[in-house]
Amino acid sequence: MKFPFCILTSNRTIIQRLSNYAFYGRLQHVQHSMPSKCIKHCPVLRCVCTDISQRTKAYYITTPIFYVNASPHIGHVYTAVTADCLHRYKLLQGYHSRFATGTDEHGLKIQQAADKADKDPLRFCTEVSESFRNVFQRCGILYTDYIRTTEKRHRQAVEHFWMVLHSKGFIYKGTYEGWYSTPDESFLTPTQVTDSTDSMGRQIKVSTESGHKVEWMKEDNYMFRLSEFREELLQWFRSNPKTIQPVKFQHLVLQLLEDDLPDLSVSRQKSRLQWGISVPGDPEQTIYVWLDALVNYLTVVGYPQNHSQWWTVVHHVIGKDILKFHAVYWPAFLLAAGLPLPQTIYVHSHWTVEGKKMSKSLGNVVNPQAAVEKFTMDGLRYFLLRQGVPDSDCDYYDDKVIKLCNSELADALGGLLNRCTAPSLNPKQVYPEFCNTFFPKDTSEGLDEKAVSEDYRMVEAVSLLPVLVEQHLENLHVYKALEAISACVRLTNGFIQRHAPWKLDQNDTKDKQWLDTILHVSLECLRMYGILLQPVVPGLADKILSRLGVKPEERSWDSLKFLVKHDGRDCHLEGRALGPDMGVLFSRLERSQGRTPKTATRQKSKPQ
Ligand code: MSP
């Protein structure tokens, strides 16, 4: 089996040796057996193989693992729903897709949060990790793997990873002196720090990016030779301009890499941080939480034994705040360990609430459980994915959810389903027949033609919709995919309105045939929308497709063949009984009483 690698190195012998191995899994072993001097300068297989997923039909998608020092909020759910949407989409395309999420449970801030709650850290982590699982279940997050960094399999993976980096000479004992932000678990250079005052009016230093307080830290610990990877990373990003999406975030990373890239402290003294994984062979040091956390992506797929199959097809979904960790530290660690780099890093922006950053102190943290109760799972998912624009921050407030869901789900989509399956128009309740006479392929063909130019435009738009949706989903522009679907729903409603089938005489043969044709075209449109909407609103999509009588095995991406009768082919759905559920697709949402129009669902304290 041949895999396309781009091996960038000036050492011909190594190229020769590496190219003897077709599969990177074996390459790792070659690298392990090389002298560390060679390895240091030998680089790594860059995984430029963007089409490996396509050829192997394997796909591995991850969310960041969530800190357990705070309970889940809609920002977390947005990350998870976005990844879930990609995973479901890949499944529908026939991929063997793996989708990992989980919780990040080590580090000082978790240790402090457990202390504050007066709980044993592991018990504390277990409780909050469970609350993430519950929320994900309520939000229809169909993960295949759930990882907790306190699991044994993860500790073993991290220890192994550490030892590989160490044995290759990328980790050395040194002294770190500089700024550290505990809330961000991040080391900062002087240029990333600014002056500020705390609530008591005292002068403090804060991280320019997050605004969190930083402390000066000086301690002996282990350092990772990050500086050695600056050039390679720059080269990788330059030759793979689509790795980070949207592209604006790739530019940010390139800017970051233009600056100095100091070596990175990858451990903390045990006396300061106990809650973590000890450095192998040095119980006085604890591994830096970000190194620990990032390895979760490998743990899930069986590192160090069985990860090869999945590691060439990994795609990360992350929020913009953790870009540096995923686009600089992580690829550098992987390069050092001799592992392929991720195929894509999808970045999204943040949700604010009523124009403000979500924060416990402001009391404006939106509780996803409460939001699901009010708006339903599909309502919340639709809102987040329809309004969430990866490039820029989005604002949440309840009224916005209500307005959007009512207009696009209840009225437009629900109304369309209701109208074109109504027993008054379709007393037999079967998938009606299409008659070419009234809607010929060639507009100059028939005298009885009833379709008008707008109808042809609609048919064309719906035919092109799958390709458009696919393009947008591949770029993780879910909002654009939904915008396109919503525009087509409007066209189909316009089509029904224009031809007013309720005015036709069902006892007249021609009228009846035309009525059936109108319904057939409308149901075909709905069938397309139902299939395309599955990754976003799985519950509603199921309702639509079941009502149309579309069987589960007829709902994949392959079934997106629209209006085949129009092309003169047989439609196997014609005459099939519609599904029995005539209920409302999406009940209109009402504003809760006693609330001002722009009130968010507030969450006061952590659910424990
Ligand atoms: N534990 C780290 C990730 C380690 S991955 C190896 C972490 N956890 S987090 O809980 O703080 O954030 C998890 C995800 O939620 C991140 O992608 C982050 O961007 C996202 N969000 C947190 N707040 C958010 C919003 N207000 N809006 C959108 N997403 C947000 O970082």
Side-chain angles (χ1 to χ4, degrees), residues 181-201:
S181 158
T182 299
D184 302 322
E185 301 280 20
S186 181
F187 298 94
L188 301 158
T189 60
T191 55
Q192 294 169 319
V193 167
T194 183
D195 290 318
S196 184
T197 43
D198 68 10
S199 54
M200 312 284 282

Side-chain angles (χ1 to χ4, degrees), residues 63-70 73-79 103-104 109 132 289-290 292-297 317-322 326 348-352 357-358:
T63 70
I65 45 171
F66 299 90
Y67 283 133
V68 289
N69 65 323
H73 58 59
I74 50 145
H76 301 135
V77 166
Y78 178 59
T79 298
T103 41
D104 188 354
K109 61 181 178 185
F132 272 94
V289 275
W290 268 100
D292 168 344
L294 287 161
V295 173
N296 92 82
Y297 302 130
V317 172
I318 59 162
K320 63 177 185 179
D321 54 322
I322 53 177
H326 284 80
H348 64 73
S349 297
H350 278 187
W351 283 90
T352 54
K357 194 175 167 179
M358 243 188 294

Side-chain angles (χ1 to χ4, degrees), residues 203-263:
Q203 285 276 308
I204 53 162
K205 295 272 185 197
V206 295
S207 153
T208 319
E209 197 189 334
S210 69
H212 290 136
K213 189 177 167 203
V214 297
E215 285 158 304
W216 187 258
M217 197 181 99
K218 182 175 180 192
E219 55 176 57
D220 287 342
N221 50 34
Y222 290 91
M223 305 291 292
F224 170 71
R225 296 190 193 280
L226 182 62
S227 53
E228 287 198 12
F229 293 94
R230 193 175 144 267
E231 269 307 314
E232 283 188 58
L233 290 174
L234 274 169
Q235 269 183 33
W236 178 53
F237 285 122
R238 284 187 186 134
S239 42
N240 296 279
K242 287 189 147 189
T243 302
I244 304 183
Q245 294 185 31
V247 69
K248 92 172 210 194
F249 292 108
Q250 179 124 334
H251 293 153
L252 276 178
V253 173
L254 284 171
Q255 263 172 27
L256 256 176
L257 289 169
E258 296 294 343
D259 282 349
D260 244 15
L261 194 61
D263 285 352

Side-chain angles (χ1 to χ4, degrees), residues 408 412-413 416 484-494 526 529 533:
E408 294 195 356
L413 196 60
L416 178 63
I485 297 173
S486 178
C488 282
V489 171
R490 278 197 299 277
L491 292 180
T492 312
N493 271 319
L526 264 169
Y529 308 149
L533 283 170

Side-chain angles (χ1 to χ4, degrees), residues 24 28 32 98 152-165 168 295-308 310-311 330 333-334 336-339:
Y24 86 93
Q28 282 168 247
H32 280 292
R98 199 159 173 175
K152 185 174 164 204
R153 60 170 174 154
H154 179 66
R155 180 174 46 74
Q156 288 169 340
V158 173
E159 285 170 353
H160 186 91
F161 193 80
W162 175 281
M163 287 188 298
V164 172
L165 299 191
K168 290 182 172 202
V295 173
N296 92 82
Y297 302 130
L298 281 166
T299 307
V300 164
V301 289
Y303 179 82
Q305 285 91 22
N306 305 314
H307 56 285
S308 310
W310 294 101
W311 199 250
W330 185 223
F333 292 153
L334 290 170
L339 289 166

Side-chain angles (χ1 to χ4, degrees), residues 29 84 164 166 178 191 240 322 328 344 490 604:
H29 299 301
D84 180 68
V164 172
H166 191 261
T191 55
N240 296 279
I322 53 177
V328 179
T344 324
R490 278 197 299 277
K604 287 212 177 80

